[in-house]
Amino acid sequence: MATFLYKLGRLAFRRRHFVALIWVALLTLAGVGAASAPTAGNTSFSVPGTEAQKAFDLLEQRFPGASADGATARVVFKAPAGEKMTDAGNRAAVKKTVKELSGGAEVASVSDPYTAHAVSKDGTIAYTSVKYKVSGMELEDSSRTALKGAAQDAREAGLTVEVGGDALNAAPETGGTEVIGIAVAAVVLVITFGSLLAAGLPLLTALIGVGIGVSSITALANALDLGSTTSTLATMIGLAVGIDYALFIVSRYRAELAEGREREEAAGRAVGTAGSAVVFAGLTVVIALVGLSVVDIPMLTKMGVAAAGTVAVAVLIALTMIPALLGYAGRRVKPAGEKSRLLGGARAARRGGQDRPNMGTRWASFVVRRPVAVLLLGVLGLGAAAVPAASLELGLPDDGSQPVSTTQRRAYDLLSEGFGPGFNGPLMVVVDAKDSARPKAAFTRVTDEIKKLDDVVTVTPAQPNKAGDTATVTVVPDSKPSSTSTEDLVHAIRAAGGDVEARTDAKVLVTGSTAMNIDVSQKLNDALLPYLALVVGLAFLLLIVVFRSVLVPLKAALGFLLSVMAALGAVVAVFQWGWLSGLMGVEQTGPVMSMMPIFMVGVVFGLAMDYEVFLVTRMREAYVHGEKPGQAVVTGFRHGARVVTAAAVIMIAVFSGFIGSSESMVKMIGFGLAIAVFFDAFVVRMALVPAVLALLGRRAWWLPKWLDRALPDVDVEGDGLRAERPRDTDPDADRELVRV
């Protein structure tokens, strides 16, 4: 592989005009496609295989036109102090709002609070339910605008009016904090390279890669039913890995220049060595992201595949466009150890002192001398950070988890005040009596059985369809939707449904948003171990090929588990316990999103292996070229620590930029990935890895002979390049580059 990439790097350097033209053309094509593509609605949400989804599908068949999974909204009214909602003036204002809402093109039905018994016992709070023909993710913005407008008209009549429900769900806003992340990345690159031009190359190529990836997602969003969160994730990961991959190749290029090689040769060798690490690091990220498909949640699968595509683009750009741009830059990209004149290069040259060991060398030497102490301290520290993960509570966000400043949260609180906390999460029980000899008796038996259960406030009479073979029963719990009591009630209804089916041949299914959240959480929990086994197993095999070792990949996997558990502990501490919540902009604490553990496992594993590959390949390169194991660790840090540190800081900055998002899911993902990269890069890879390798010595690179013969030789260390000689090098290249 190293030889192939070496030739690719030299070719891109020589044919830089052609390579640059190809990437500009691809960016333009993707941009035109995004601009001309039809506006995509919000993505649909389905969870195949869950009972809640089966119930939704059954309702679509047996209650045609009822829009069982359509968006809902509750417009909640509260009378002024000393008044009742039944007063004539307030009643007239509500009636006007109901009439106004009924005229929407996507509205299926609007209830009248006074005929639907939707007025609280004390008469101060009432609500109207709005049912839409399409799901909340497919609802047009005009329908949301009309909903907000009707609520505002009622406010002007003197009522307190708030709106809840999934009809108000909209695309998340990330604010401007992600720009700060990019700015931090730029500063780190300038400090790392000592050159504005060299620092600009990774940023430029990363932005081009993200531009191509996100524009392609936008162009295909309508056809493939991709939501806004998909492009947000692709942007987040694409920026981080795009900058990092380019950073490693530019850094290696400067190191090759420092050894006296011509620029074209240096570009070829940089791509042949660092580029090999980029390919395998990119493969681990792609495996982790595509592996999300095993969860069998279409939305999560699409997010993973789209982000994986953006990572693949970042790898290709790093391998081709970076050497092309280095060709354009010419002598303005300095060898390692030299700074540009603008950043003090002339002063540094006069001072000299190039033989002083750098920070990476000093740190690695310390760890090699004190491996046991560093190992124990690192493991104990990560273990302490992981302690909160033992209290992890999973769930999906509802209006109760919204900030108190939002109308959704205020509507949620008003409904709890007037009708009880469980009113915000009613359960819909679907009774399929098609195979029952006495459908009506089955419907009655279901309602009677549910009334006997604990934590039940209200059970409505069964509402059969026209055929009389299916009915719906609404159950209002006594507890709030996200409570364990409500979850227990769902399981109790399903258990009672099994008894009913045995006696009447009628099937009982529980659905609704609360039941769907419970089913999704369970599905994600059940998929976590198979997903972990698949992703870690495939990456383990890949790393055995890269490192020609069994213990190094095993150590990498165990270190990842430590960092991801510590990161989950930090997420629990902030988003569930409320530690530093004000600093992170978390207005409402609650359960951690159900998809967070499996998502962090996938993404963090891929990113963690980036640093493992970049850092340890340098160590193995030194080891196979004759250095002793301890010295190889120090050599790897001398060449790689500064760059890995810069890459980690950049990735942390990019992920942290998304903490400013208005969407709780994006905020939590941004924080979780940022803290996970911090733990993995600075504790696991920078401390535990050299400590373990120092303790293992030569055993770290042990590989059974039969396995060594069976594995392909991918030559990540670039041994094959020793036989290569510079060919087709333009003797006037440097003069041409300066003119360009």
Side-chain angles (χ1 to χ4, degrees), residues 77-94 114 119-126 154-160 417:
F77 309 91
K78 184 174 183 179
E83 298 183 16
K84 303 285 187 182
M85 287 305 304
T86 52
D87 294 347
N90 295 334
R91 181 189 291 262
V94 172
Y114 302 101
V119 180
S120 63
K121 291 181 180 179
D122 62 4
T124 60
I125 297 174
R155 291 189 187 101
E156 293 174 357
L159 298 174
T160 298
E417 176 187 340

Short mmCIF file of all heavy atoms in Angstrom, two decimals, residues 77-94 114 119-126 154-160 417:
data_model
loop_
_atom_site.label_atom_id
_atom_site.label_comp_id
_atom_site.label_asym_id
_atom_site.label_seq_id
_atom_site.Cartn_x
_atom_site.Cartn_y
_atom_site.Cartn_z
N PHE A 77 -54.84 26.56 27.13
CA PHE A 77 -55.34 27.88 27.53
C PHE A 77 -55.46 27.94 29.05
O PHE A 77 -55.91 26.98 29.68
CB PHE A 77 -56.73 28.15 26.94
CG PHE A 77 -56.83 27.92 25.45
CD1 PHE A 77 -57.20 26.68 24.95
CD2 PHE A 77 -56.58 28.95 24.55
CE1 PHE A 77 -57.30 26.46 23.59
CE2 PHE A 77 -56.68 28.74 23.18
CZ PHE A 77 -57.04 27.49 22.71
N LYS A 78 -55.08 29.08 29.62
CA LYS A 78 -55.29 29.30 31.05
C LYS A 78 -55.98 30.64 31.24
O LYS A 78 -55.57 31.67 30.67
CB LYS A 78 -53.96 29.29 31.81
CG LYS A 78 -54.14 29.42 33.33
CD LYS A 78 -52.84 29.25 34.09
CE LYS A 78 -53.09 29.31 35.59
NZ LYS A 78 -51.86 29.12 36.37
N ALA A 79 -57.03 30.63 32.02
CA ALA A 79 -57.83 31.84 32.22
C ALA A 79 -57.08 32.83 33.10
O ALA A 79 -56.26 32.44 33.94
CB ALA A 79 -59.16 31.48 32.85
N PRO A 80 -57.34 34.12 32.93
CA PRO A 80 -56.73 35.12 33.83
C PRO A 80 -57.15 34.86 35.27
O PRO A 80 -58.14 34.16 35.54
CB PRO A 80 -57.31 36.45 33.30
CG PRO A 80 -57.71 36.16 31.89
CD PRO A 80 -58.15 34.73 31.87
N ALA A 81 -56.37 35.40 36.20
CA ALA A 81 -56.65 35.19 37.63
C ALA A 81 -58.08 35.60 37.96
O ALA A 81 -58.55 36.66 37.55
CB ALA A 81 -55.66 36.00 38.46
N GLY A 82 -58.78 34.76 38.70
CA GLY A 82 -60.15 35.04 39.11
C GLY A 82 -61.21 34.68 38.08
O GLY A 82 -62.40 34.85 38.35
N GLU A 83 -60.80 34.18 36.92
CA GLU A 83 -61.75 33.82 35.87
C GLU A 83 -61.71 32.32 35.61
O GLU A 83 -60.80 31.62 36.05
CB GLU A 83 -61.45 34.59 34.58
CG GLU A 83 -61.55 36.10 34.71
CD GLU A 83 -61.31 36.81 33.38
OE1 GLU A 83 -61.37 36.13 32.32
OE2 GLU A 83 -61.06 38.03 33.39
N LYS A 84 -62.71 31.85 34.86
CA LYS A 84 -62.79 30.45 34.46
C LYS A 84 -62.77 30.37 32.93
O LYS A 84 -63.17 31.31 32.24
CB LYS A 84 -64.08 29.80 34.98
CG LYS A 84 -64.26 29.86 36.49
CD LYS A 84 -63.36 28.87 37.18
CE LYS A 84 -63.67 28.82 38.68
NZ LYS A 84 -62.78 27.89 39.40
N MET A 85 -62.34 29.22 32.45
CA MET A 85 -62.35 29.02 31.00
C MET A 85 -63.77 28.89 30.46
O MET A 85 -64.00 29.01 29.26
CB MET A 85 -61.54 27.77 30.63
CG MET A 85 -60.04 27.92 30.77
SD MET A 85 -59.35 29.32 29.87
CE MET A 85 -59.91 28.98 28.21
N THR A 86 -64.72 28.65 31.35
CA THR A 86 -66.12 28.54 30.93
C THR A 86 -66.82 29.89 30.85
O THR A 86 -67.98 29.95 30.42
CB THR A 86 -66.87 27.62 31.90
OG1 THR A 86 -66.65 28.07 33.25
CG2 THR A 86 -66.40 26.18 31.76
N ASP A 87 -66.15 30.97 31.24
CA ASP A 87 -66.73 32.30 31.11
C ASP A 87 -66.97 32.62 29.65
O ASP A 87 -66.21 32.17 28.76
CB ASP A 87 -65.82 33.36 31.74
CG ASP A 87 -65.71 33.19 33.26
OD1 ASP A 87 -66.52 32.42 33.82
OD2 ASP A 87 -64.78 33.79 33.84
N ALA A 88 -67.97 33.41 29.37
CA ALA A 88 -68.39 33.66 27.98
C ALA A 88 -67.27 34.22 27.11
O ALA A 88 -67.06 33.77 25.98
CB ALA A 88 -69.60 34.61 27.98
N GLY A 89 -66.54 35.21 27.62
CA GLY A 89 -65.49 35.82 26.82
C GLY A 89 -64.36 34.85 26.51
O GLY A 89 -63.87 34.78 25.37
N ASN A 90 -63.97 34.09 27.52
CA ASN A 90 -62.90 33.11 27.30
C ASN A 90 -63.36 31.98 26.38
O ASN A 90 -62.60 31.51 25.53
CB ASN A 90 -62.46 32.52 28.64
CG ASN A 90 -61.82 33.58 29.55
OD1 ASN A 90 -61.28 34.58 29.07
ND2 ASN A 90 -61.89 33.36 30.86
N ARG A 91 -64.61 31.55 26.54
CA ARG A 91 -65.15 30.51 25.66
C ARG A 91 -65.15 30.98 24.21
O ARG A 91 -64.79 30.22 23.30
CB ARG A 91 -66.57 30.15 26.10
CG ARG A 91 -67.21 29.04 25.26
CD ARG A 91 -68.68 28.89 25.63
NE ARG A 91 -68.85 28.34 26.96
CZ ARG A 91 -69.08 27.05 27.21
NH1 ARG A 91 -69.16 26.20 26.20
NH2 ARG A 91 -69.24 26.63 28.44
N ALA A 92 -65.51 32.24 23.99
CA ALA A 92 -65.55 32.77 22.62
C ALA A 92 -64.15 32.81 22.01
O ALA A 92 -63.96 32.49 20.83
CB ALA A 92 -66.17 34.17 22.63
N ALA A 93 -63.14 33.19 22.82
CA ALA A 93 -61.77 33.24 22.31
C ALA A 93 -61.27 31.85 21.93
O ALA A 93 -60.60 31.67 20.90
CB ALA A 93 -60.85 33.86 23.37
N VAL A 94 -61.62 30.84 22.73
CA VAL A 94 -61.21 29.47 22.43
C VAL A 94 -61.90 28.97 21.17
O VAL A 94 -61.29 28.33 20.30
CB VAL A 94 -61.50 28.55 23.63
CG1 VAL A 94 -61.27 27.09 23.24
CG2 VAL A 94 -60.63 28.92 24.82
N TYR A 114 -64.81 22.12 24.96
CA TYR A 114 -66.06 22.11 25.73
C TYR A 114 -66.94 20.90 25.42
O TYR A 114 -67.83 20.58 26.20
CB TYR A 114 -66.80 23.42 25.49
CG TYR A 114 -65.96 24.62 25.86
CD1 TYR A 114 -65.31 25.36 24.89
CD2 TYR A 114 -65.78 24.97 27.20
CE1 TYR A 114 -64.51 26.44 25.23
CE2 TYR A 114 -64.98 26.05 27.55
CZ TYR A 114 -64.34 26.78 26.55
OH TYR A 114 -63.54 27.84 26.91
N VAL A 119 -61.54 20.41 29.85
CA VAL A 119 -61.43 21.53 30.78
C VAL A 119 -61.12 20.95 32.16
O VAL A 119 -61.74 19.96 32.58
CB VAL A 119 -62.72 22.37 30.83
CG1 VAL A 119 -62.57 23.53 31.80
CG2 VAL A 119 -63.07 22.88 29.44
N SER A 120 -60.13 21.52 32.85
CA SER A 120 -59.73 20.99 34.16
C SER A 120 -60.86 21.11 35.17
O SER A 120 -61.81 21.88 34.99
CB SER A 120 -58.49 21.73 34.67
OG SER A 120 -58.78 23.10 34.88
N LYS A 121 -60.77 20.33 36.27
CA LYS A 121 -61.83 20.31 37.26
C LYS A 121 -62.08 21.68 37.88
O LYS A 121 -63.22 22.04 38.20
CB LYS A 121 -61.48 19.30 38.35
CG LYS A 121 -61.53 17.86 37.88
CD LYS A 121 -61.20 16.90 39.02
CE LYS A 121 -61.26 15.45 38.54
NZ LYS A 121 -60.93 14.49 39.63
N ASP A 122 -61.00 22.45 38.07
CA ASP A 122 -61.18 23.78 38.66
C ASP A 122 -61.58 24.82 37.63
O ASP A 122 -61.81 25.99 37.97
CB ASP A 122 -59.93 24.22 39.41
CG ASP A 122 -58.71 24.36 38.50
OD1 ASP A 122 -58.84 24.19 37.27
OD2 ASP A 122 -57.61 24.63 39.02
N GLY A 123 -61.64 24.43 36.35
CA GLY A 123 -62.13 25.33 35.30
C GLY A 123 -61.15 26.37 34.83
O GLY A 123 -61.50 27.22 34.01
N THR A 124 -59.89 26.31 35.28
CA THR A 124 -58.94 27.38 34.92
C THR A 124 -58.11 27.04 33.69
O THR A 124 -57.53 27.94 33.07
CB THR A 124 -57.98 27.64 36.09
OG1 THR A 124 -57.26 26.44 36.39
CG2 THR A 124 -58.76 28.10 37.32
N ILE A 125 -58.03 25.76 33.33
CA ILE A 125 -57.17 25.34 32.21
C ILE A 125 -57.98 24.48 31.25
O ILE A 125 -58.79 23.65 31.67
CB ILE A 125 -55.95 24.55 32.73
CG1 ILE A 125 -55.08 25.44 33.62
CG2 ILE A 125 -55.12 24.01 31.56
CD1 ILE A 125 -53.93 24.69 34.28
N ALA A 126 -57.78 24.72 29.97
CA ALA A 126 -58.42 23.93 28.92
C ALA A 126 -57.42 23.73 27.79
O ALA A 126 -56.40 24.43 27.71
CB ALA A 126 -59.68 24.61 28.42
N ALA A 154 -55.11 34.23 20.42
CA ALA A 154 -55.77 33.94 21.69
C ALA A 154 -55.10 34.68 22.85
O ALA A 154 -55.77 35.10 23.80
CB ALA A 154 -55.77 32.44 21.94
N ARG A 155 -53.79 34.86 22.76
CA ARG A 155 -53.09 35.62 23.81
C ARG A 155 -53.57 37.07 23.82
O ARG A 155 -53.73 37.68 24.88
CB ARG A 155 -51.58 35.58 23.58
CG ARG A 155 -50.93 34.23 23.81
CD ARG A 155 -49.42 34.32 23.79
NE ARG A 155 -48.80 32.99 23.84
CZ ARG A 155 -48.31 32.36 22.80
NH1 ARG A 155 -48.34 32.93 21.59
NH2 ARG A 155 -47.78 31.16 22.94
N GLU A 156 -53.77 37.60 22.63
CA GLU A 156 -54.21 38.99 22.54
C GLU A 156 -55.62 39.18 23.10
O GLU A 156 -56.02 40.29 23.42
CB GLU A 156 -54.15 39.44 21.08
CG GLU A 156 -52.72 39.53 20.55
CD GLU A 156 -52.65 39.84 19.06
OE1 GLU A 156 -53.73 39.94 18.45
OE2 GLU A 156 -51.54 39.97 18.54
N ALA A 157 -56.35 38.06 23.22
CA ALA A 157 -57.69 38.13 23.82
C ALA A 157 -57.63 38.07 25.34
O ALA A 157 -58.68 38.10 26.00
CB ALA A 157 -58.55 36.98 23.29
N GLY A 158 -56.42 37.97 25.91
CA GLY A 158 -56.26 38.01 27.35
C GLY A 158 -55.95 36.68 28.00
O GLY A 158 -55.77 36.63 29.23
N LEU A 159 -55.88 35.60 27.25
CA LEU A 159 -55.61 34.29 27.81
C LEU A 159 -54.11 34.00 27.82
O LEU A 159 -53.35 34.54 27.01
CB LEU A 159 -56.31 33.20 27.00
CG LEU A 159 -57.85 33.25 26.94
CD1 LEU A 159 -58.36 32.20 25.97
CD2 LEU A 159 -58.44 33.05 28.32
N THR A 160 -53.70 33.14 28.76
CA THR A 160 -52.35 32.58 28.70
C THR A 160 -52.42 31.36 27.78
O THR A 160 -53.21 30.44 28.04
CB THR A 160 -51.87 32.15 30.10
OG1 THR A 160 -51.82 33.30 30.94
CG2 THR A 160 -50.50 31.50 30.01
N GLU A 417 -50.38 20.63 35.59
CA GLU A 417 -51.07 21.35 36.66
C GLU A 417 -52.58 21.09 36.61
O GLU A 417 -53.22 20.90 37.65
CB GLU A 417 -50.78 22.84 36.52
CG GLU A 417 -51.52 23.72 37.52
CD GLU A 417 -51.34 25.21 37.22
OE1 GLU A 417 -50.38 25.57 36.51
OE2 GLU A 417 -52.18 26.00 37.69
#
